[in-house]
Amino acid sequence: MPNDDSLKRLLKLKNFFQSRERNELKSLATDCWVDAFVYEDELMLDTGLLAYCFSKLLDKRHIVESSEWKRFSRHALEELSTSISFLEKSDAGNNVENARELLHSLLQETESLSQVLGRFVRSVVEKARLKAAAEMYAHGASLGVASVFVNAPKREVADYIGGTKMQDKYAVMPVNERLKKIRSLFGGG
């Protein structure tokens, strides 16, 4: 079941997409992925995936100047508005599921657009899934849990993480160093 922030994040997604705020979309994606993992919120996950995809597509001039993009962006804004309307209704049960279905469908449409117009080695949605899994892994999820949650192949997530500087950013302190640090804090030298 989505938490209360799902609606707020979806509103931000729509606003950032409409105003083409690429950096805000990337930041939103990361926030969504971490919360999606914490709250087991698939709606939040899809919101983050879309935020990342939109930011990457907006980076490509040949995409945003195309007639396909113009049609896609109008449709995407309509779908986001409808999803928001579903979540704003008091009867949350079916409305949440309806919003999830719309976002999932929009992800598939984004995938199709990426394949038609993109010049990417891998599709923008695949890359978003890898980044989402890596972010969840960096925040404590196991590689397997993160991979399953975002629907990305575990081996590709591991390869992606291995190709980043994530290990440097989230370096783990060896056990013996942790014990020394704890002992020094409690006067045990």
Side-chain angles (χ1 to χ4, degrees):
M1 190 72 172
N3 69 51
D4 294 337
D5 286 336
S6 294
L7 176 60
K8 291 176 190 171
R9 299 278 172 82
L10 198 51
L11 285 164
K12 284 184 179 183
L13 173 62
K14 181 184 174 214
N15 291 333
F16 294 156
F17 178 63
Q18 194 165 23
S19 58
R20 297 182 174 200
E21 295 181 50
R22 296 184 310 254
N23 290 334
E24 296 296 331
L25 285 165
K26 285 180 185 176
S27 179
L28 176 63
T30 302
D31 293 343
C32 286
W33 295 333
V34 172
D35 284 350
F37 166 65
V38 170
Y39 296 109
E40 297 179 6
D41 186 340
E42 292 177 27
L43 184 69
M44 186 80 75
L45 171 65
D46 286 350
T47 301
L49 293 172
L50 285 167
Y52 180 81
C53 291
F54 293 165
S55 74
K56 295 306 281 182
L57 294 171
L58 284 166
D59 278 341
K60 307 296 181 202
R61 186 175 176 180
H62 74 279
I63 291 177
V64 296
E65 291 179 352
S66 71
S67 60
E68 292 93 341
W69 175 260
K70 289 175 178 74
R71 278 192 300 275
F72 172 82
S73 59
R74 278 192 305 271
H75 175 70
L77 287 170
E78 290 169 5
E79 295 291 277
L80 292 172
S81 294
T82 303
S83 296
I84 289 165
S85 295
F86 280 132
L87 294 181
E88 289 175 333
K89 293 180 182 173
S90 59
D91 176 29
N94 286 338
N95 291 326
V96 170
E97 189 55 38
N98 290 336
R100 277 189 194 141
E101 287 176 14
L102 280 177
L103 292 186
H104 188 69
S105 175
L106 188 53
L107 267 173
Q108 291 173 337
E109 292 171 40
T110 304
E111 176 82 6
S112 295
L113 183 74
S114 168
Q115 291 172 347
V116 170
L117 295 178
R119 298 175 186 156
F120 306 105
V121 173
R122 69 179 60 204
S123 84
V124 72
V125 175
E126 288 174 12
K127 176 123 189 237
R129 290 187 187 286
L130 293 176
K131 288 188 74 69
E135 196 64 41
M136 290 175 188
Y137 174 76
H139 283 83
S142 71
L143 191 59
V145 168
S147 299
V148 167
F149 188 71
V150 304
N151 192 25
K154 185 177 176 180
R155 180 160 190 85
E156 289 183 29
V157 174
D159 289 346
Y160 178 81
I161 291 170
T164 68
K165 295 187 180 225
M166 189 172 286
Q167 305 93 323
D168 299 339
K169 186 176 178 183
Y170 299 101
V172 176
M173 187 183 298
V175 174
N176 60 348
E177 287 183 39
R178 280 189 270 168
L179 286 173
K180 284 180 190 176
K181 188 169 183 106
I182 291 169
R183 285 185 184 127
S184 70
L185 289 172
F186 292 103

